[in-house]
Amino acid sequence: LFAFSTHLRTGDLGKLDSDGYLWITGRAKDLIIRGGHNVDPEIIEDALSGHQSVAMVGAVGQPDLHLGEVPCAYVELMQQSNVETEELMAFVKGKLDNKLAMPVYLEVLAELPKTPVGKIFKPELRKLAITRVLNTELEKQNIEASVVSVVEDRVKGLTARVSASDEVKDSTIGECLDQFVVPWQRN
């Protein structure tokens, strides 16, 4: 007799307990890689979910010029709740032990994007973050161009589609956006 093992790469993160049970704790592709440090978005989501006005939270990585990506969070409030983002940021700051996990941006949305079974659809949140950050950088550099969509490319991953007039050269856009880890293409 011989023994063999098989491995199945699912992209799930997990841990084995002392009894040998496997506990699924998250998804590898959901990790936020902040300057080489892995940040589990679940700790941000758990912290913000503790606020009485918060119904749902989705934390994702947003592009960053220096660290690759940094945490940001999107929040859906309970019905009839009204809370300012500053209050939520102060709340999460008091709850997080890991300061690398502190979101640099937090936005309240009327409704978070969800899958048909009601789970938060994080690819849509990543697209929102990419669009916001890259458009802010283009505006800051006074480049008359904008990210009009973010699409999933099978080779490159999430890719920003940029619209600009013919007068704006690709090299000008590239000088601005090539600093980010997110690829772009002209629309």
Side-chain angles (χ1 to χ4, degrees), residues 6-166:
T6 60
H7 299 285
L8 178 64
R9 293 185 188 269
T10 64
D12 292 310
L13 298 174
K15 64 180 179 179
L16 286 173
D17 68 13
S18 59
D19 295 325
Y21 289 100
L22 175 64
W23 295 87
I24 304 297
T25 58
R27 303 273 305 148
K29 68 179 179 182
D30 285 344
L31 284 178
I32 300 164
I33 313 298
R34 180 185 178 136
H37 297 278
N38 292 347
V39 176
D40 186 349
E42 189 175 331
I43 63 173
I44 301 164
E45 294 162 356
D46 287 348
L48 278 164
S49 293
H51 192 281
Q52 63 194 17
S53 297
V54 173
M56 298 183 92
V57 181
V60 295
Q62 73 176 34
D64 183 78
L65 286 172
H66 307 291
L67 299 170
E69 61 182 359
V70 292
C72 71
Y74 294 93
V75 174
E76 180 179 323
L77 298 178
M78 300 280 209
Q79 287 184 350
Q80 310 302 322
S81 290
N82 187 16
V83 64
E84 299 294 323
T85 56
E86 293 81 14
E87 180 183 331
L88 292 172
M89 287 293 272
F91 179 83
V92 73
K93 187 175 184 177
K95 295 288 184 185
L96 286 177
D97 293 332
N98 182 351
K99 297 306 174 198
L100 295 175
M102 184 64 192
V104 298
Y105 179 83
L106 188 144
E107 183 176 344
V108 175
L109 299 177
E111 185 175 355
L112 293 177
K114 297 178 187 82
T115 65
V117 295
K119 291 180 70 175
I120 296 170
F121 190 55
K122 288 195 176 184
E124 237 6 85
L125 296 179
R126 284 187 199 94
K127 290 176 182 181
L128 284 173
I130 290 167
T131 301
R132 176 179 41 79
V133 170
L134 297 188
N135 277 337
T136 299
E137 191 64 23
L138 286 164
E139 187 177 311
K140 191 164 77 173
Q141 304 259 345
N142 293 317
I143 298 171
E144 294 193 25
S146 64
V147 175
V148 292
S149 66
V150 178
V151 297
E152 181 70 44
D153 182 284
R154 294 202 302 179
V155 175
K156 298 178 186 175
L158 289 178
T159 302
R161 288 205 173 151
V162 178
S163 178
S165 66
D166 292 337

